[in-house]
Amino acid sequence: MTITPDSLEPALSVRQVLTLERVLAGEPEVVAGASHLDRPVRWVHVAEAADVGVMLSGGEMVLTTGVLLAGDEDKQAEYVRSLHRAEAAAVVLGLGRAFPATPDVMRRAAERCGLPMVVLHRPFPFAELTEEVQSRLVRRKFAAVSLSEAVRTELTALITAGAPLQRLLDEVARHSACPVVVTNLAHRVLGTAGERPAVDDVLRDWERIARQAGGVEGDGWIRAELGGRGERWGRIVLCGYRGDTATGRLLADRAAEALVLHRMLAGGAACSWEEQSAQSLLTDLVSGVVPARQLLPRARAAGLPVNRRTFVPLVVRDGDPARLERLLRLLGLPGLVAELADGATAVLLSLPRDQDAGALAAHFAARLRTETGPDHTVVAAAEARAAWDDVPTGLREAQHVADAVADSSAVLDLPPVVRLKDVHLRGLIRLLRDDPHVQSFAERELDGLLRETDEDLLPVLRTYLATGRNKSRTAQLHHVSRPALYRRLEAIQVRLGVDLDDFEQAASVHIALLAHDAQQQ
């Protein structure tokens, strides 16, 4: 059976102890400190001496008959003050021969100290209460330790199996039954787990919440530091844990141990967690499966400025995400970087509205091309977006532009930043590539070449048409002589049954070739 906070016996508070059947038999009455009855009871202790506080360590419910206090009001007041100094949970006085009624001195002292004081109006064997509470507390501690060890075992098994960070966090959230957040020391969210609506509620105001959770624990907010060898690099936070704090700390500590081990086995690459977080966010934005408005808390928690900003969606072909991250930091451009599929990397810039988004995007692209060479990188961009809700459309547009020029960047005269207006017909064909009529047209027009595999004619045709039927440029790019190129062009025309000097026929073949290439991607 899986042990969860709901399956653990609730931690006992003073209020809960007073509702136990054995205690009710003694007719308990709260005579002081009624507003402090939710204090947790760590143990039950029977004590009569006035200086009882020296024997306590805090959290005890102290049971007494007051036999050594009767007739001495100073001792009665000191008894209560001693319990308060020792941070006892409550004092329970059994009325009888020593005190037939509530001693007013003890009641006033308890009220001043804020110490819950309870009197029992009927004779009551303290041994029964001690046995009941102690057994419950022992069962609770045993269950907490069992939960801790179960979590440690399961997380270790996941790490051994090579599970990613998200899988570990999902397991921690399952056991804790509350949202789980991992951050770096700057409160930037590196990972989350738990039910999505609850996680979004936590992230919606994360900056304020993180500062509170980073300093104190309360209302189920429990944190554990991540680090080792004297260096801290993050923390894990259980957000709104419903069980008792001690059990929550055990869970958080086991989770922290596992995350540190996971990072160590990954070579200490904590930054990869940031990359995974950005990748998850940008992938969800591009896919459109999750509405952009619902992703806004995640973006803010990931460190992306979102208030009164201009967003510039970029997609870089054959760009190294780590290099792009470094370049953003070097240029002082706030943004997220994430690797998508098929060699594309998404970059979402978040710029102040008074800055020239187009100029900054062009500067970024120029610096990148300087580092990598113009023949190795394509930077595609959508028009800047002023509203967060428009970012997914912008990212998909940038991805479309990057895909449209993926195979032709070397033969096309492209600007540093390629936009939708720069891809012309190629962009339209890319959008229509899955249309069966377009597919049939491409196969029909290119049939004579597609059935031949012994000659390198298709690449020559592609370059020839992409360069505007420039024979010199085509020969140069394919490292052949002009006469050799003429022979290949003649073979292409024979196979296809077309005249490439005729504009309409050449255009038809060009469209078919663009459609064929788009279908192969």
Side-chain angles (χ1 to χ4, degrees):
M1 179 185 72
T2 299
I3 302 173
T4 66
D6 291 332
S7 64
L8 289 172
E9 188 174 338
L12 287 176
S13 64
V14 175
R15 188 188 308 278
Q16 290 169 321
V17 170
L18 297 181
T19 63
L20 296 178
E21 186 175 349
R22 291 186 179 182
V23 179
L24 290 175
E27 296 183 8
E29 177 190 1
V30 179
V31 297
S35 60
H36 301 280
L37 295 180
D38 291 321
R39 288 180 176 178
V41 176
R42 189 183 63 81
W43 207 242
V44 178
H45 189 69
V46 180
E48 304 288 356
D51 59 348
V52 62
V54 299
M55 297 180 284
L56 307 179
S57 57
E60 293 89 352
M61 174 178 276
V62 178
L63 312 180
T64 182
T65 62
V67 66
L68 299 182
L69 305 175
D72 191 331
E73 293 186 348
D74 289 340
K75 284 186 177 181
Q76 294 169 24
E78 176 57 26
Y79 184 87
V80 173
R81 289 193 294 266
S82 178
L83 294 178
H84 171 65
R85 289 193 297 270
E87 299 181 348
V91 58
V92 178
L93 174 65
L95 300 181
R97 286 179 299 175
F99 290 103
T102 303
D104 199 48
V105 172
M106 293 182 68
R107 182 188 61 76
R108 289 198 306 269
E111 195 64 53
R112 283 194 299 270
C113 294
L115 176 70
M117 180 175 176
V118 181
V119 296
L120 300 175
H121 289 279
R122 292 175 62 88
F124 183 82
F126 285 165
E128 291 187 9
L129 174 58
T130 302
E131 179 185 5
E132 176 76 12
V133 174
Q134 311 296 53
S135 64
R136 287 175 179 261
L137 292 175
V138 168
R139 288 200 301 271
R140 176 71 188 184
K141 290 183 178 180
F142 177 77
V145 172
S146 297
L147 172 60
S148 172
E149 290 306 309
V151 171
R152 171 183 281 162
T153 300
E154 292 176 18
L155 293 181
T156 301
L158 288 173
I159 293 172
T160 303
L165 170 66
Q166 187 60 53
R167 182 69 185 85
L168 270 64
L169 296 183
D170 289 341
E171 192 68 16
V172 175
R174 183 175 70 84
H175 280 288
S176 62
C178 69
V180 175
V181 177
V182 174
T183 74
N184 61 16
L185 294 181
H187 305 303
R188 179 174 177 177
V189 174
L190 308 181
T192 63
E195 295 184 2
R196 196 71 256 169
V199 172
D200 288 343
D201 285 344
V202 169
L203 297 184
R204 194 164 285 113
D205 195 18
W206 176 251
E207 185 174 352
R208 179 185 62 81
I209 291 174
R211 280 172 168 60
Q212 291 179 349
V216 297
E217 292 183 352
D219 297 326
W221 287 76
I222 300 172
R223 65 187 178 93
E225 301 299 324
L226 303 177
R229 298 178 181 176
E231 178 189 8
R232 290 191 304 117
W233 44 265
R235 59 177 56 91
I236 182 170
V237 185
L238 307 186
C239 308
Y241 179 72
R242 295 196 303 267
D244 70 286
T245 301
T247 303
R249 288 199 184 104
L250 278 175
L251 275 173
D253 288 344
R254 295 298 82 78
E257 291 172 3
L259 296 186
V260 170
L261 177 60
H262 183 277
R263 178 186 181 228
M264 181 178 68
L265 294 178
C271 62
S272 66
W273 292 4
E274 297 185 6
E275 294 167 3
Q276 292 174 32
S277 175
Q279 183 175 30
S280 173
L281 173 61
L282 292 184
T283 299
D284 285 346
L285 279 170
V286 171
S287 69
V289 174
V290 182
R293 182 58 51 181
Q294 293 183 22
L295 296 173
L296 188 59
R298 288 171 58 188
R300 184 183 290 113
L304 186 73
V306 295
N307 295 329
R308 297 182 295 278
R309 309 292 286 190
T310 296
F311 302 101
V312 183
L314 306 174
V315 171
V316 181
R317 272 286 174 189
D318 300 322
D320 175 36
R323 181 193 297 272
L324 298 176
E325 283 273 14
R326 288 194 298 271
L327 184 56
L328 287 183
R329 289 195 294 269
L330 179 64
L331 299 178
L333 297 176
L336 295 178
V337 177
E339 188 173 5
L340 303 178
D342 301 325
T345 301
V347 180
L348 180 60
L349 301 181
S350 175
L351 307 174
R353 290 184 175 175
D354 59 353
Q355 293 187 348
D356 188 336
L360 288 174
H363 181 51
F364 170 78
R367 286 293 299 269
L368 182 61
R369 288 163 72 93
T370 299
E371 292 186 11
T372 62
D375 295 336
H376 294 87
T377 303
V378 172
V379 179
E383 294 303 319
R385 262 55 179 179
W388 173 258
D389 288 344
D390 296 331
V391 168
T393 303
L395 284 168
R396 288 192 289 272
E397 179 182 316
Q399 188 175 35
H400 163 66
V401 173
D403 291 342
V405 298
D407 292 331
S408 304
S409 58
V411 295
L412 295 177
D413 186 16
L414 297 174
V417 179
V418 187
R419 302 184 184 276
L420 193 59
K421 64 182 178 61
D422 300 315
V423 296
H424 307 294
L425 178 62
R426 189 178 301 274
L428 175 63
I429 295 299
R430 177 79 186 183
L431 289 175
L432 299 175
R433 64 177 179 171
D434 294 327
D435 188 297
H437 297 293
V438 173
Q439 295 173 357
S440 177
F441 168 76
E443 292 176 2
R444 185 172 61 252
E445 288 289 300
L446 300 175
D447 182 62
L449 286 183
L450 295 180
R451 289 186 287 105
E452 297 291 336
T453 59
D454 57 337
E455 292 186 65
D456 191 24
L457 297 181
L458 202 60
V460 170
L461 175 62
R462 183 181 292 109
T463 304
Y464 179 63
L465 296 174
T467 58
R469 295 182 293 175
N470 186 320
K471 293 183 176 67
S472 297
R473 177 65 172 155
T474 302
Q476 179 185 13
L477 289 172
H478 284 272
H479 308 288
V480 298
S481 64
R482 289 285 293 269
L485 175 66
Y486 294 155
R487 289 193 295 272
R488 294 188 184 186
L489 291 177
E490 182 63 30
I492 291 171
Q493 292 181 103
V494 170
R495 300 277 174 79
L496 298 181
V498 299
D499 179 4
L500 293 178
D501 289 331
D502 181 87
F503 175 78
E504 184 174 339
Q505 294 183 53
S508 181
V509 172
H510 193 188
I511 292 172
L513 186 57
L514 290 176
H516 170 74
D517 289 344
Q519 292 160 16
Q520 306 308 306
Q521 297 175 7

